[in-house]
Amino acid sequence: MANRENDFPSQIFNECESVERGWVKYRNVMERESRCSYEDFTTPEAFNKNHILKPILAKFVHNCYKAVDCHRDLVTKLKSTIDSLIVENSQLKDEKSQLVKENSEMKEIRLQLLEEVSCSKSAEIQSQKSIISLQNELLDSKRDRLESVQCTVSDAVKTSVQSEIKLFSQALTTSAVPSSKCIPDVTTLKSAVKDAVQAEDRGKNLIVFGIKEEPEENTGQKISEIMEYLGEKPRHESVRIGVQKSESDKQRPVKVSLASSAHVIQVLRAAKKLKDSDKFSSVFICPDRTTEERKLRKLAVVDLKKRLTDEPNKRHFIKGFKVVTASEE
């Protein structure tokens, strides 16, 4: 369509020039044969005055007819071209209307996308606010736990000090003459406080036996695998304890420190699952005990084995460093 619009003026111009050249040609022939100028043919009086011969006049009329006929063809072409242009103009208007409609739809889609982006940003801001709120709650929870641990340590120290004071009071009551040996000194009180703090620290520890010891090993990874098998994922720190002897094949135990005593209790409750594992059946987990507690535990284990041999039909177990039979519980 664009090419046709571009070619149309030149086509009309060429055809008009062709008609004009033909008309000038016919006019020159008429002037030459009649020996008159063109102005002499403009009125009937001029024809009569100049005595134009009939053959010359007939030829002139014939040429005029041909020129008019050429004009008629040109007008027909112009009319056909104008009709085509009208149709194409109508099509252009329809296309323009369609483009305007599509542009309007695109604007609506753009507005909708802007609204969705705005909603998405609002949701993201709300999500960030929720995360900040959860972080604040977590910080509050950690603060409460820290205060609880501090209260526990304080109560343990207070209990230990009260116990020492009670012993001192009893010693004064039973002794007629107070002796300096019965009076607890500052060292004894410091020792009591130290024992209370150590007891609190041990409450967050576990001792794991049966883990194969290797050069340049990663005990943290091994403990993580055990915790994962038990379904527990607490944060922990681990280290081998005891002196390593190159000539001995004995595996040193691993001390595992957790965040709280509650995690220790959870792991100890789940530790019974290890005996059913092919990979960890030789692993044993127990609390972090003092030297005196380990001795009592060792004696209780010996007593338990003896009772199991003597009374195999009864159920025996260790409770509070003592062997208890189910019927005696």
Side-chain angles (χ1 to χ4, degrees), residues 297-311:
R297 174 75 181 183
K298 187 174 181 180
L299 293 175
V301 170
V302 174
D303 189 13
L304 176 63
K305 291 180 179 180
K306 183 176 182 301
R307 290 201 187 189
L308 289 174
T309 303
D310 297 339
E311 300 175 332

Side-chain angles (χ1 to χ4, degrees), residues 21-33:
R21 285 195 301 270
W23 173 253
V24 171
K25 178 182 177 182
Y26 300 148
R27 187 184 67 181
N28 292 337
V29 171
M30 185 65 181
E31 288 179 344
R32 185 174 63 251
E33 292 182 357

Side-chain angles (χ1 to χ4, degrees), residues 77-314:
K77 290 181 180 179
L78 285 172
K79 184 177 181 299
S80 176
T81 303
I82 290 172
D83 292 339
S84 299
L85 289 174
I86 290 173
V87 173
E88 291 176 356
N89 184 48
S90 177
Q91 292 177 351
L92 285 174
K93 286 183 178 179
D94 294 339
E95 291 178 0
K96 180 181 177 182
S97 300
Q98 183 66 24
L99 289 174
V100 170
K101 183 179 178 181
E102 291 178 356
N103 186 41
S104 177
E105 292 176 354
M106 290 296 294
K107 286 183 178 179
E108 292 180 0
I109 293 174
R110 182 172 176 270
L111 291 175
Q112 185 177 358
L113 288 175
L114 289 174
E115 184 177 356
E116 291 178 357
V117 169
S118 177
C119 293
S120 176
K121 287 184 177 179
S122 299
E124 183 178 357
I125 292 173
Q126 187 63 32
S127 177
Q128 290 178 349
K129 289 182 178 178
S130 300
I131 292 174
I132 292 173
S133 177
L134 290 174
Q135 288 177 342
N136 291 333
E137 291 179 3
L138 181 60
L139 289 175
D140 292 339
S141 176
K142 289 184 176 180
R143 189 181 301 110
D144 294 340
R145 289 172 60 185
L146 179 60
E147 291 177 355
S148 176
V149 170
Q150 290 176 344
C151 291
T152 302
V153 173
S154 177
D155 292 343
V157 172
K158 183 178 179 181
T159 302
S160 178
V161 172
Q162 288 178 347
S163 176
E164 293 293 336
I165 292 174
K166 184 177 180 180
L167 291 175
F168 173 67
S169 177
Q170 290 176 353
L172 290 177
T173 303
T174 56
S175 177
V177 180
S179 173
S180 60
K181 295 181 180 181
C182 298
I183 301 176
D185 54 10
V186 176
T187 303
T188 304
L189 292 177
K190 288 183 177 181
S191 177
V193 173
K194 183 179 179 181
D195 291 342
V197 174
Q198 289 179 349
E200 175 64 23
D201 291 339
R202 282 196 301 272
K204 301 177 184 179
N205 298 337
L206 291 169
I207 305 298
V208 183
F209 297 88
I211 298 179
K212 185 178 179 181
E213 188 170 359
E214 300 171 334
E216 299 181 0
E217 64 180 351
N218 186 349
T219 56
Q221 179 63 29
K222 294 180 179 181
I223 295 299
S224 295
E225 292 177 0
I226 295 173
M227 295 297 178
E228 184 176 357
Y229 177 81
L230 297 177
E232 303 289 338
K233 294 183 179 181
R235 291 180 298 173
H236 59 81
E237 297 178 357
S238 58
V239 63
R240 293 275 183 182
I241 57 177
V243 179
Q244 185 177 14
K245 298 180 180 180
S246 57
E247 66 276 5
S248 176
D249 296 333
K250 188 177 180 180
Q251 311 295 335
R252 291 183 298 164
V254 177
K255 184 173 76 172
V256 181
S257 300
L258 304 183
S260 67
S261 58
H263 289 154
V264 171
I265 294 173
Q266 291 178 0
V267 174
L268 289 174
R269 287 176 178 174
K272 59 184 180 182
K273 299 178 184 178
L274 295 174
K275 63 181 180 180
D276 299 326
S277 169
D278 295 336
K279 185 176 181 180
F280 305 116
S281 59
S282 61
V283 176
F284 175 72
I285 301 177
C286 68
D288 184 11
R289 302 185 179 98
T290 64
T291 304
E292 185 64 26
E293 288 173 343
R294 288 197 295 271
K295 291 179 180 179
L296 295 175
R297 174 75 181 183
K298 187 174 181 180
L299 293 175
V301 170
V302 174
D303 189 13
L304 176 63
K305 291 180 179 180
K306 183 176 182 301
R307 290 201 187 189
L308 289 174
T309 303
D310 297 339
E311 300 175 332
N313 297 327
K314 294 183 179 181

